[in-house]
Amino acid sequence: MEKRLLGRSGLRVSRMALGTMTWGGDTDAEEAASQLVTFVDAGGTLVDTADIYGEGESERVLGSLLGDLVPRDDVVLATKAVARRTDGPFGGGASRGALLSALEGSLKRLGTDHIDLWQLHAWDTCVPIAETLAALEYAVTSGKARYVGVSNYAGWQLATAAAGAAAVAPIVSTQVEYSLLERGVDREVVPAAEHHGIGLLPWAPLGRGVLTGKYRTGTPADSRGANSAYAGYVEHHRTDRAARIVQAVATAADGLGTSPLAVALAWVRDRPGVVAPVVGARDTGQLTGSLTAEDITLPPAIRSALDDVSAIEAGYPERWPH
């Protein structure tokens, strides 16, 4: 698998990341092990989790697989903090105390002495950004985190954090929802990331599963859309606009002799500023399908057509002075 530098940093990662949100829950340890081995054998290195996933179970499962099954040094280990884990005073948020408590918890669950990419899961309106950034600086200077990033930040939030970050702990990545069905970040987040040299890590690059085409004629019984816990998550992208985009993706896939999944993933993977889409999978077979995108490069005409059908209108001030 091709490798890319993460933003302006020297951290080189695979151009696809393995997401583990369901590990320790819908995805048991045996299936997680199969996915991790398949991903690493394909040349993948970047594995993403969070302290909140499965109330910490995702980190525990991943940590149990590193060392014996897959060498720790073969993986770029990414996790996140900020989301509330407990009701205690340090159970969530971006204060110095909460973040450093979360970091220690993640290190313990993952069974490692350092995180390769430690990310802020969300902006905290209650905490001065200077305090938050000071905690990131400590994490890096102490050696407990090698690089730091953010997730789900608006454009102004990303720019504020990037401008205030210490030189020893610059923001190198931002993880955001980005796909043919969700292009809102093109307005301000993508330009802010480009300006500050920050790499994009798209989550839900398959439009929460809708871009695979599985929902074109109904809701498969084994899909997230049929699961009461995820139905609303999927329904968000089941719109008339989405249907037109999904049809365009299916047409492109037919013409290229590949799957809609591979087309949708290749499109977002090669967008300006994108380093690695974060792909989660129900099972190893589904992950293998995503890995086929590595062999796909969209012809300019198809990329242009997909750009057009999924385009969003830029308003003031994004389009100023045009």
Side-chain angles (χ1 to χ4, degrees):
M1 189 179 300
E2 183 180 319
K3 306 300 188 293
R4 291 171 171 174
L5 291 174
L6 189 56
R8 289 182 189 152
S9 78
L11 179 60
R12 192 175 299 277
V13 301
S14 54
R15 65 175 183 172
M16 183 186 298
L18 178 62
T20 65
M21 185 175 69
T22 62
W23 288 19
D26 293 344
T27 304
D28 62 25
E30 183 178 355
E31 175 57 36
S34 176
Q35 289 187 23
L36 183 60
V37 169
T38 297
F39 181 68
V40 173
D41 284 350
T45 61
L46 181 57
V47 182
D48 181 72
T49 184
D51 60 0
I52 196 66
Y53 293 167
E55 299 181 348
E57 284 304 307
S58 174
E59 288 184 328
R60 289 189 186 94
V61 170
L62 177 55
S64 72
L65 302 177
L66 297 177
D68 293 336
L69 186 67
V70 172
R72 170 66 179 88
D73 290 344
D74 287 355
V75 169
V76 177
L77 187 57
T79 192
K80 312 180 197 74
V82 173
R84 182 151 292 279
R85 307 175 313 282
T86 71
D87 292 331
F90 305 116
S95 68
R96 180 184 296 105
L99 285 175
L100 297 184
S101 176
L103 179 58
E104 294 298 335
S106 288
L107 290 170
K108 182 177 180 180
R109 287 186 293 273
L110 289 164
T112 186
D113 62 356
H114 71 279
I115 307 299
D116 297 309
L117 177 62
W118 192 42
Q119 303 156 100
L120 302 176
H121 214 153
W123 178 270
D124 190 338
T125 59
C126 299
V127 178
I129 187 62
E131 178 178 340
T132 298
L133 295 175
L136 298 187
E137 181 180 3
Y138 169 79
V140 172
T141 56
S142 67
K144 294 180 180 181
R146 297 294 195 252
Y147 296 87
V148 292
V150 299
S151 180
N152 301 311
Y153 272 34
W156 71 268
Q157 295 167 342
L158 180 61
T160 299
V168 296
I171 305 299
V172 302
S173 66
T174 182
Q175 197 171 140
V176 290
E177 182 172 6
Y178 194 16
S179 72
L180 279 159
L181 301 186
E182 180 52 81
R183 295 187 57 185
V185 294
D186 279 330
R187 294 189 178 97
E188 294 192 354
V189 174
V190 172
E194 180 182 16
H195 179 76
H196 289 282
I198 295 170
L200 296 166
L201 300 174
W203 61 264
L206 300 176
R208 310 187 184 193
V210 174
L211 285 166
T212 64
K214 70 174 70 175
Y215 299 106
R216 293 175 71 190
T217 58
T219 303
D222 63 346
S223 69
R224 281 187 174 183
N227 185 321
S228 60
Y230 294 105
Y233 174 81
V234 174
E235 197 66 26
H236 176 76
H237 284 319
R238 296 181 72 176
T239 64
D240 291 342
R241 172 181 177 271
R244 292 192 295 272
I245 296 171
V246 170
Q247 179 58 54
V249 170
T251 300
D254 287 343
L256 294 172
T258 188
S259 67
L261 182 157
V263 169
L265 197 53
W267 179 88
V268 71
R269 181 199 65 206
D270 294 330
R271 289 290 293 171
V274 168
V275 177
V278 181
V279 177
R282 182 180 64 251
D283 52 41
T284 304
Q286 196 175 66
L287 174 61
T288 301
S290 294
L291 291 171
T292 63
E294 181 65 16
D295 300 323
I296 301 295
T297 299
L298 299 181
I302 288 180
R303 174 167 291 280
S304 179
L306 293 176
D307 289 349
D308 291 344
V309 74
S310 65
I312 58 173
E313 183 177 355
Y316 176 84
E318 294 93 349
R319 65 184 180 191
W320 183 263
H322 303 298

